[in-house]
Amino acid sequence: MKIAFFSAKNYEKKIFDSFNRKSNHKIVYLEPHLNEDTVTLAMGFNAVCVFVNDNLNATVVEALAGFGIKLIALRCAGYNNVDLETASRYGIKVVRVPAYSPYSVAEHTIALILALNRKIYKAYHRVREGNFALDGLLGYDLNGRTVGIIGTGKIGEVVAKIMKGFGCNILAFDHVQNKSCLEMGVKYISMESLFAESDLITLHCPLTKETHHLINSESLDKMKKGVVLINTSRGALIDTKAVIKALKSGRVGALGLDVYEEEGDLFFEDQSGNVIQDDIFARLLTFPNVVITGHQAFFTKEALDKIAETTVENITEFEKSGTSSNEISLTMIKK
Ligand code: NAI
């Protein structure tokens, strides 16, 4: 297979080359994101390999079909950035990496929780400057606190397990109850009750039409004053303008983000020499109780290896059989 590999980063080229040694697909690494402006780069290939901030809307997918692209290989789990209906209409198969390391994202979620609670980001700078004062660094015991998890799939389950270890009470909302979560004592309740009862809320559901802006001014009003909010899933689960208001009023006591709804133009690049044009993002950066990382929750060695291994396997399976066990089918989405 001849693959146009969009949004390529140096750290993944070596890993993909190593896992591709046996299959010997021809991978051409391209730095740009795939979108309406760059789609012509896919001409002459059989497949495209894409990541979270490539935008495969209907126009892009139609263009890919026109170039004879047969396969869209996502090197991530989420598929909200692909117009699946259009892909299906043109007979383009879409495959993904359904699970690589739930531990990577779950452990990063805990890193955000602890950094915010114990103000590690402030302490780091203070100590380096010889300031050992403790004012402003007061945290609280996580033991005995109530944590609300929205989405108890692979990542939510690991978060529940770790937070159980801290001695937290775990509440959850999901359309499907996870057996392991039930066994460890997670209590499933309505979304409304989860909002009202949780000291900390962490999001681990996919971005869909239903979950878009799940956290908005209405849902924020239902939360406890000073609630800690964590999002390592997808940026658009949160209405950022509403959360800024809630930070200003004190309704949200701390916010930890690894994703941002308009991250496509910002994340994964060194922007340190540029003026940030996104005023909403810039406002978020001014809060003393907000910690943001740039979509790095997945970024562990184990996860990168698994992503490369599964993606190459998906492509090889498609080449041999015209399908793959990791294909995203429309029926699966519509369920
Ligand atoms: P999963 O598919 O194992 O679990 C998702 C869970 O969300 C399922 O139990 C599902 O029933 C539930 N869900 C679906 N709609 C819901 C709704 N409306 N309300 C409540 N729950 C709902 O997925 P996994 O592997 O746990 O990943 C979760 C999300 O994490 C992904 O969708 C992706 O957006 C994000 N992610 C972020 C990464 C990062 O680097 N920041 C890396 C990998 C995934």
Side-chain angles (χ1 to χ4, degrees):
M1 295 278 283
K2 206 175 161 204
I3 302 143
F5 191 106
F6 283 87
S7 305
K9 294 286 172 204
N10 283 333
Y11 55 74
E12 52 190 352
K13 289 180 194 171
K14 248 199 200 154
I15 302 175
F16 266 85
D17 283 344
S18 137
F19 280 98
N20 184 38
R21 217 157 277 148
K22 250 195 359 223
S23 307
N24 211 16
H25 298 295
K26 181 168 172 43
I27 303 178
V28 176
Y29 295 102
L30 303 164
E31 268 182 42
H33 289 323
L34 174 57
N35 55 38
E36 291 180 26
D37 297 328
T38 61
V39 67
T40 49
L41 291 171
M43 249 190 250
F45 290 88
N46 316 114
V48 292
C49 182
V50 295
F51 196 47
V52 292
N53 289 323
D54 292 302
N55 180 2
L56 288 86
N57 61 19
T59 313
V60 170
V61 175
E62 265 175 34
L64 291 176
F67 302 149
I69 295 289
K70 301 277 180 265
L71 178 71
I72 295 169
L74 288 156
R75 48 185 197 279
C76 53
Y79 41 81
N80 51 285
N81 54 336
V82 181
D83 188 320
L84 293 170
E85 304 233 5
T86 309
S88 161
R89 191 157 9 102
Y90 286 98
I92 299 179
K93 302 280 184 189
V94 183
V95 294
R96 66 171 180 145
V97 184
Y100 34 95
S101 166
Y103 306 102
S104 63
V105 183
E107 289 171 13
H108 191 79
T109 304
I110 310 306
L112 288 174
I113 294 171
L114 290 173
L116 281 164
N117 177 22
R118 306 311 293 266
K119 322 280 188 294
I120 302 298
Y121 50 104
K122 285 188 185 176
Y124 172 79
H125 290 292
R126 278 195 195 180
V127 170
R128 283 170 74 94
E129 285 171 12
N131 175 358
F132 304 102
L134 297 183
D135 312 69
L137 300 185
L138 189 66
Y140 53 82
D141 290 0
L142 284 170
N143 180 54
R145 299 272 162 168
T146 298
V147 173
I149 301 179
I150 300 185
T152 51
K154 291 176 283 295
I155 296 169
E157 178 189 323
V158 179
V159 170
K161 203 179 286 172
I162 299 173
M163 295 316 285
K164 268 268 159 201
F166 277 108
C168 297
N169 310 311
I170 316 289
L171 303 176
F173 174 79
D174 196 314
H175 299 308
V176 187
Q177 299 198 352
N178 175 322
K179 202 166 149 257
S180 307
C181 286
L182 287 168
E183 280 167 6
M184 69 175 100
V186 171
K187 196 172 143 204
Y188 282 90
I189 55 171
S190 69
M191 182 106 73
E192 308 278 294
S193 307
L194 184 145
F195 288 150
E197 292 176 34
S198 304
D199 299 306
L200 187 155
I201 296 174
T202 181
L203 308 177
H204 300 291
C205 57
L207 175 63
T208 59
K209 276 183 195 146
E210 186 197 353
T211 60
H212 184 264
H213 284 187
L214 179 80
I215 305 301
N216 53 37
S217 48
E218 232 172 85
S219 48
L220 285 160
D221 280 346
K222 293 177 187 147
M223 294 178 196
K224 278 190 184 175
K225 192 161 171 61
V227 65
V228 176
L229 197 57
I230 308 287
N231 186 9
T232 58
S233 264
R234 284 292 179 266
L237 294 176
I238 294 184
D239 175 349
T240 317
K241 281 187 187 160
V243 97
I244 286 175
K245 267 194 197 151
L247 279 161
K248 285 164 81 177
S249 72
R251 167 76 56 191
V252 170
L255 176 69
L257 298 179
D258 185 52
V259 287
Y260 168 62
E261 53 184 329
E262 300 298 333
E263 70 179 46
D265 293 333
L266 283 170
F267 286 7
F268 302 116
E269 304 300 333
D270 179 0
Q271 307 272 9
S272 54
N274 303 336
V275 173
I276 291 180
Q277 297 297 325
D278 181 334
D279 291 347
I280 297 172
F281 187 76
R283 180 67 178 102
L284 273 182
L285 295 179
T286 66
F287 290 97
N289 48 353
V290 173
V291 170
I292 305 176
T293 53
H295 211 135
Q296 70 171 81
F298 74 100
F299 202 53
T300 64
K301 184 183 177 323
E302 289 78 3
L304 286 192
D305 282 353
K306 186 76 186 157
I307 288 171
E309 186 184 22
T310 308
T311 304
V312 171
E313 278 172 10
N314 286 345
I315 294 167
T316 306
E317 223 185 322
F318 170 82
E319 187 181 31
K320 285 186 180 153
S321 66
T323 180
S324 151
S325 42
N326 290 323
E327 186 180 331
I328 308 166
S329 67
L330 264 186
T331 43
M332 177 174 130
I333 312 304
K334 282 178 175 163
K335 253 192 221 166

Short mmCIF file of all heavy atoms in Angstrom, two decimals, residues 77-78 80 96 98-100 102 105 150-156 173-176 191 204-208 210-211 214 232-234 258-259 295-299, ligand 1:
data_model
loop_
_atom_site.label_atom_id
_atom_site.label_comp_id
_atom_site.label_asym_id
_atom_site.label_seq_id
_atom_site.Cartn_x
_atom_site.Cartn_y
_atom_site.Cartn_z
N ALA A 77 -7.95 6.63 18.61
CA ALA A 77 -9.19 5.89 18.92
C ALA A 77 -10.42 6.68 18.46
O ALA A 77 -11.33 6.13 17.83
CB ALA A 77 -9.26 5.63 20.42
N GLY A 78 -10.44 7.99 18.76
CA GLY A 78 -11.60 8.83 18.41
C GLY A 78 -11.73 9.00 16.90
O GLY A 78 -10.72 9.00 16.18
N ASN A 80 -14.25 11.37 15.57
CA ASN A 80 -15.17 12.50 15.40
C ASN A 80 -14.74 13.44 14.27
O ASN A 80 -15.52 14.26 13.81
CB ASN A 80 -15.28 13.29 16.71
CG ASN A 80 -13.93 13.65 17.27
OD1 ASN A 80 -13.24 12.81 17.83
ND2 ASN A 80 -13.52 14.89 17.07
N ARG A 96 -9.31 2.26 12.74
CA ARG A 96 -8.75 3.05 13.85
C ARG A 96 -7.98 2.13 14.80
O ARG A 96 -7.93 0.91 14.61
CB ARG A 96 -9.88 3.75 14.60
CG ARG A 96 -10.78 2.77 15.30
CD ARG A 96 -11.77 3.45 16.21
NE ARG A 96 -12.63 2.48 16.86
CZ ARG A 96 -13.09 2.58 18.08
NH1 ARG A 96 -12.81 3.64 18.80
NH2 ARG A 96 -13.84 1.64 18.62
N PRO A 98 -8.54 1.08 18.32
CA PRO A 98 -9.57 1.23 19.36
C PRO A 98 -8.99 1.33 20.77
O PRO A 98 -9.55 2.00 21.62
CB PRO A 98 -10.44 -0.01 19.20
CG PRO A 98 -9.64 -0.98 18.42
CD PRO A 98 -8.63 -0.22 17.63
N ALA A 99 -7.89 0.62 21.01
CA ALA A 99 -7.30 0.67 22.35
C ALA A 99 -5.80 0.59 22.22
O ALA A 99 -5.30 -0.28 21.51
CB ALA A 99 -7.81 -0.52 23.16
N TYR A 100 -5.10 1.54 22.81
CA TYR A 100 -3.64 1.38 22.78
C TYR A 100 -3.09 1.33 24.19
O TYR A 100 -2.47 0.38 24.58
CB TYR A 100 -2.94 2.43 21.94
CG TYR A 100 -3.54 3.80 21.92
CD1 TYR A 100 -3.07 4.77 22.78
CD2 TYR A 100 -4.54 4.13 21.03
CE1 TYR A 100 -3.58 6.05 22.75
CE2 TYR A 100 -5.08 5.40 21.01
CZ TYR A 100 -4.59 6.36 21.87
OH TYR A 100 -5.11 7.61 21.86
N PRO A 102 -5.00 2.51 27.74
CA PRO A 102 -5.90 3.33 28.56
C PRO A 102 -5.15 3.92 29.75
O PRO A 102 -5.50 4.96 30.29
CB PRO A 102 -6.98 2.35 29.02
CG PRO A 102 -6.41 0.99 28.84
CD PRO A 102 -5.41 1.09 27.72
N VAL A 105 -3.69 7.60 29.19
CA VAL A 105 -4.63 8.73 29.35
C VAL A 105 -5.12 8.82 30.80
O VAL A 105 -5.21 9.90 31.37
CB VAL A 105 -5.82 8.60 28.37
CG1 VAL A 105 -6.74 9.81 28.49
CG2 VAL A 105 -5.33 8.45 26.94
N ILE A 150 -17.69 10.57 33.83
CA ILE A 150 -18.66 10.49 32.72
C ILE A 150 -18.01 9.68 31.60
O ILE A 150 -17.04 10.13 30.98
CB ILE A 150 -19.08 11.89 32.26
CG1 ILE A 150 -19.73 12.63 33.44
CG2 ILE A 150 -20.05 11.78 31.05
CD1 ILE A 150 -20.32 13.98 33.11
N GLY A 151 -18.51 8.47 31.38
CA GLY A 151 -17.93 7.55 30.40
C GLY A 151 -17.00 6.58 31.10
O GLY A 151 -15.88 6.94 31.48
N THR A 152 -17.50 5.36 31.33
CA THR A 152 -16.68 4.36 32.03
C THR A 152 -16.30 3.23 31.07
O THR A 152 -16.58 2.06 31.32
CB THR A 152 -17.42 3.78 33.26
OG1 THR A 152 -18.72 3.35 32.82
CG2 THR A 152 -17.54 4.78 34.37
N GLY A 153 -15.67 3.62 29.96
CA GLY A 153 -15.10 2.62 29.04
C GLY A 153 -13.72 2.25 29.53
O GLY A 153 -13.47 2.20 30.74
N LYS A 154 -12.81 2.06 28.58
CA LYS A 154 -11.47 1.57 28.95
C LYS A 154 -10.73 2.57 29.84
O LYS A 154 -10.15 2.21 30.84
CB LYS A 154 -10.67 1.29 27.67
CG LYS A 154 -11.22 0.10 26.89
CD LYS A 154 -10.51 -0.13 25.58
CE LYS A 154 -10.91 0.83 24.49
NZ LYS A 154 -12.29 0.75 24.03
N ILE A 155 -10.77 3.86 29.45
CA ILE A 155 -10.01 4.86 30.22
C ILE A 155 -10.72 5.18 31.54
O ILE A 155 -10.10 5.19 32.60
CB ILE A 155 -9.79 6.14 29.37
CG1 ILE A 155 -8.92 5.81 28.16
CG2 ILE A 155 -9.15 7.26 30.21
CD1 ILE A 155 -8.84 6.90 27.10
N GLY A 156 -12.03 5.39 31.46
CA GLY A 156 -12.81 5.70 32.68
C GLY A 156 -12.64 4.62 33.73
O GLY A 156 -12.54 4.91 34.93
N PHE A 173 -21.60 8.11 35.22
CA PHE A 173 -22.72 8.12 34.28
C PHE A 173 -22.23 7.54 32.96
O PHE A 173 -21.18 7.95 32.44
CB PHE A 173 -23.27 9.54 34.04
CG PHE A 173 -24.32 9.52 32.97
CD1 PHE A 173 -25.61 9.11 33.25
CD2 PHE A 173 -24.00 9.86 31.65
CE1 PHE A 173 -26.58 9.03 32.25
CE2 PHE A 173 -24.96 9.78 30.64
CZ PHE A 173 -26.26 9.37 30.95
N ASP A 174 -22.97 6.58 32.45
CA ASP A 174 -22.68 5.98 31.14
C ASP A 174 -23.96 5.28 30.72
O ASP A 174 -24.74 4.83 31.58
CB ASP A 174 -21.51 4.97 31.26
CG ASP A 174 -20.91 4.62 29.90
OD1 ASP A 174 -21.68 4.35 28.95
OD2 ASP A 174 -19.67 4.59 29.80
N HIS A 175 -24.19 5.18 29.42
CA HIS A 175 -25.38 4.43 28.96
C HIS A 175 -25.19 2.94 29.19
O HIS A 175 -26.16 2.19 29.27
CB HIS A 175 -25.61 4.69 27.47
CG HIS A 175 -25.87 6.13 27.17
ND1 HIS A 175 -26.82 6.86 27.85
CD2 HIS A 175 -25.29 6.98 26.29
CE1 HIS A 175 -26.82 8.10 27.38
NE2 HIS A 175 -25.89 8.20 26.44
N VAL A 176 -23.91 2.52 29.27
CA VAL A 176 -23.60 1.10 29.47
C VAL A 176 -22.86 0.99 30.80
O VAL A 176 -21.89 1.71 31.01
CB VAL A 176 -22.66 0.59 28.35
CG1 VAL A 176 -22.48 -0.90 28.43
CG2 VAL A 176 -23.14 1.03 26.97
N MET A 191 -26.96 11.70 35.19
CA MET A 191 -25.99 12.78 34.94
C MET A 191 -26.26 13.95 35.90
O MET A 191 -25.33 14.53 36.45
CB MET A 191 -26.12 13.23 33.49
CG MET A 191 -25.16 14.30 33.09
SD MET A 191 -23.84 13.71 32.05
CE MET A 191 -24.65 13.44 30.51
N HIS A 204 -14.69 11.09 30.23
CA HIS A 204 -14.04 10.01 29.47
C HIS A 204 -14.99 9.38 28.45
O HIS A 204 -14.90 8.20 28.16
CB HIS A 204 -13.48 8.96 30.45
CG HIS A 204 -12.49 9.57 31.37
ND1 HIS A 204 -11.25 10.01 30.93
CD2 HIS A 204 -12.56 9.90 32.68
CE1 HIS A 204 -10.61 10.56 31.94
NE2 HIS A 204 -11.37 10.52 33.01
N CYS A 205 -15.90 10.20 27.92
CA CYS A 205 -16.81 9.71 26.87
C CYS A 205 -16.34 10.28 25.53
O CYS A 205 -15.59 11.25 25.49
CB CYS A 205 -18.25 10.15 27.18
SG CYS A 205 -18.43 11.92 27.35
N PRO A 206 -16.78 9.68 24.42
CA PRO A 206 -16.36 10.21 23.12
C PRO A 206 -17.10 11.49 22.78
O PRO A 206 -18.14 11.79 23.39
CB PRO A 206 -16.75 9.09 22.15
CG PRO A 206 -17.84 8.35 22.83
CD PRO A 206 -17.64 8.49 24.30
N LEU A 207 -16.59 12.23 21.82
CA LEU A 207 -17.30 13.42 21.32
C LEU A 207 -18.28 12.96 20.24
O LEU A 207 -17.88 12.39 19.22
CB LEU A 207 -16.30 14.42 20.74
CG LEU A 207 -16.92 15.65 20.07
CD1 LEU A 207 -17.71 16.49 21.08
CD2 LEU A 207 -15.84 16.51 19.41
N THR A 208 -19.57 13.19 20.49
CA THR A 208 -20.61 12.84 19.52
C THR A 208 -21.58 14.04 19.48
O THR A 208 -21.40 15.00 20.24
CB THR A 208 -21.41 11.61 19.99
OG1 THR A 208 -22.00 11.91 21.27
CG2 THR A 208 -20.53 10.37 20.14
N GLU A 210 -24.41 14.01 20.68
CA GLU A 210 -25.06 14.01 21.99
C GLU A 210 -24.17 14.64 23.07
O GLU A 210 -24.66 15.30 23.98
CB GLU A 210 -25.36 12.55 22.37
CG GLU A 210 -26.16 12.38 23.64
CD GLU A 210 -26.08 10.94 24.19
OE1 GLU A 210 -25.52 10.06 23.49
OE2 GLU A 210 -26.55 10.73 25.29
N THR A 211 -22.85 14.43 22.96
CA THR A 211 -21.97 14.90 24.04
C THR A 211 -21.32 16.26 23.73
O THR A 211 -20.60 16.79 24.57
CB THR A 211 -20.85 13.87 24.32
OG1 THR A 211 -20.08 13.70 23.12
CG2 THR A 211 -21.41 12.54 24.77
N LEU A 214 -21.43 19.09 26.37
CA LEU A 214 -22.06 18.42 27.52
C LEU A 214 -21.90 19.30 28.78
O LEU A 214 -22.78 19.40 29.62
CB LEU A 214 -21.33 17.09 27.72
CG LEU A 214 -21.70 16.17 28.83
CD1 LEU A 214 -22.94 15.40 28.41
CD2 LEU A 214 -20.57 15.17 29.10
N THR A 232 -9.76 15.09 29.56
CA THR A 232 -8.67 14.54 28.73
C THR A 232 -9.27 13.80 27.53
O THR A 232 -8.60 12.98 26.91
CB THR A 232 -7.78 13.56 29.54
OG1 THR A 232 -8.60 12.51 30.05
CG2 THR A 232 -7.06 14.25 30.67
N SER A 233 -10.56 14.08 27.22
CA SER A 233 -11.22 13.32 26.13
C SER A 233 -11.19 14.07 24.80
O SER A 233 -10.33 13.81 23.96
CB SER A 233 -12.65 12.99 26.53
OG SER A 233 -12.69 11.70 27.06
N ARG A 234 -12.11 14.98 24.62
CA ARG A 234 -12.13 15.81 23.41
C ARG A 234 -12.59 17.20 23.83
O ARG A 234 -13.53 17.35 24.63
CB ARG A 234 -13.09 15.25 22.36
CG ARG A 234 -12.57 14.03 21.62
CD ARG A 234 -11.37 14.34 20.70
NE ARG A 234 -10.86 13.18 20.00
CZ ARG A 234 -9.86 12.41 20.43
NH1 ARG A 234 -9.23 12.69 21.55
NH2 ARG A 234 -9.46 11.36 19.71
N ASP A 258 -6.51 18.58 28.81
CA ASP A 258 -5.49 18.11 27.87
C ASP A 258 -5.97 18.34 26.44
O ASP A 258 -5.23 18.08 25.49
CB ASP A 258 -5.20 16.61 28.09
CG ASP A 258 -4.07 16.11 27.22
OD1 ASP A 258 -2.99 16.75 27.25
OD2 ASP A 258 -4.24 15.12 26.48
N VAL A 259 -7.20 18.79 26.31
CA VAL A 259 -7.82 19.00 24.99
C VAL A 259 -8.60 20.32 25.03
O VAL A 259 -9.03 20.76 26.10
CB VAL A 259 -8.78 17.82 24.67
CG1 VAL A 259 -8.01 16.56 24.33
CG2 VAL A 259 -9.73 17.54 25.83
N HIS A 295 -2.67 18.07 24.54
CA HIS A 295 -3.06 16.75 23.99
C HIS A 295 -1.89 15.76 24.06
O HIS A 295 -1.49 15.17 23.06
CB HIS A 295 -3.55 16.89 22.54
CG HIS A 295 -4.58 15.85 22.20
ND1 HIS A 295 -5.75 16.13 21.53
CD2 HIS A 295 -4.63 14.51 22.45
CE1 HIS A 295 -6.45 15.02 21.38
NE2 HIS A 295 -5.79 14.02 21.93
N GLN A 296 -1.37 15.60 25.26
CA GLN A 296 -0.23 14.70 25.44
C GLN A 296 -0.59 13.47 26.28
O GLN A 296 0.29 12.65 26.59
CB GLN A 296 0.94 15.44 26.10
CG GLN A 296 0.69 15.80 27.57
CD GLN A 296 1.93 16.35 28.26
OE1 GLN A 296 2.26 17.52 28.11
NE2 GLN A 296 2.61 15.52 29.03
N ALA A 297 -1.89 13.34 26.64
CA ALA A 297 -2.26 12.25 27.55
C ALA A 297 -1.90 10.88 26.98
O ALA A 297 -1.53 9.97 27.71
CB ALA A 297 -3.74 12.32 27.87
N PHE A 298 -1.98 10.74 25.66
CA PHE A 298 -1.69 9.44 25.03
C PHE A 298 -0.20 9.16 24.92
O PHE A 298 0.20 8.06 24.56
CB PHE A 298 -2.28 9.42 23.59
CG PHE A 298 -1.46 10.25 22.63
CD1 PHE A 298 -0.54 9.66 21.77
CD2 PHE A 298 -1.58 11.62 22.62
CE1 PHE A 298 0.24 10.42 20.91
CE2 PHE A 298 -0.80 12.41 21.76
CZ PHE A 298 0.10 11.80 20.91
N PHE A 299 0.63 10.16 25.23
CA PHE A 299 2.03 10.16 24.79
C PHE A 299 2.95 9.38 25.74
O PHE A 299 3.74 9.95 26.48
CB PHE A 299 2.47 11.63 24.68
CG PHE A 299 3.65 11.85 23.78
CD1 PHE A 299 3.66 11.37 22.49
CD2 PHE A 299 4.76 12.56 24.23
CE1 PHE A 299 4.74 11.59 21.66
CE2 PHE A 299 5.84 12.79 23.41
CZ PHE A 299 5.84 12.29 22.12
P1 NAI B 1 -14.31 3.68 25.22
O1 NAI B 1 -15.06 3.53 23.94
O2 NAI B 1 -13.67 2.46 25.82
O3 NAI B 1 -15.25 4.32 26.33
C1 NAI B 1 -16.11 5.39 26.10
C2 NAI B 1 -17.28 5.26 27.05
O4 NAI B 1 -18.10 6.43 26.90
C3 NAI B 1 -18.17 4.03 26.74
O5 NAI B 1 -18.38 3.29 27.92
C4 NAI B 1 -19.47 4.65 26.23
O6 NAI B 1 -20.62 3.89 26.55
C5 NAI B 1 -19.44 5.99 26.95
N1 NAI B 1 -20.34 6.99 26.39
C6 NAI B 1 -20.71 7.18 25.11
N2 NAI B 1 -21.60 8.19 25.01
C7 NAI B 1 -21.79 8.64 26.28
C8 NAI B 1 -22.59 9.67 26.83
N3 NAI B 1 -23.39 10.41 26.07
N4 NAI B 1 -22.54 9.87 28.16
C9 NAI B 1 -21.75 9.09 28.95
N5 NAI B 1 -20.97 8.09 28.47
C10 NAI B 1 -21.00 7.88 27.16
O7 NAI B 1 -13.23 4.82 24.96
P2 NAI B 1 -11.89 5.10 25.76
O8 NAI B 1 -10.77 4.33 25.14
O9 NAI B 1 -12.13 4.97 27.21
O10 NAI B 1 -11.65 6.64 25.38
C11 NAI B 1 -12.51 7.67 25.83
C12 NAI B 1 -12.19 8.95 25.08
O11 NAI B 1 -10.90 9.40 25.44
C13 NAI B 1 -12.11 8.79 23.55
O12 NAI B 1 -13.39 8.90 22.96
C14 NAI B 1 -11.21 9.91 23.14
O13 NAI B 1 -12.00 11.02 22.82
C15 NAI B 1 -10.41 10.23 24.40
N6 NAI B 1 -8.97 9.98 24.23
C16 NAI B 1 -8.10 11.01 24.49
C17 NAI B 1 -6.74 10.86 24.35
C18 NAI B 1 -5.75 11.94 24.69
O14 NAI B 1 -4.56 11.81 24.35
N7 NAI B 1 -6.14 13.00 25.34
C19 NAI B 1 -6.19 9.57 23.84
C20 NAI B 1 -7.19 8.53 23.67
C21 NAI B 1 -8.53 8.75 23.83
#
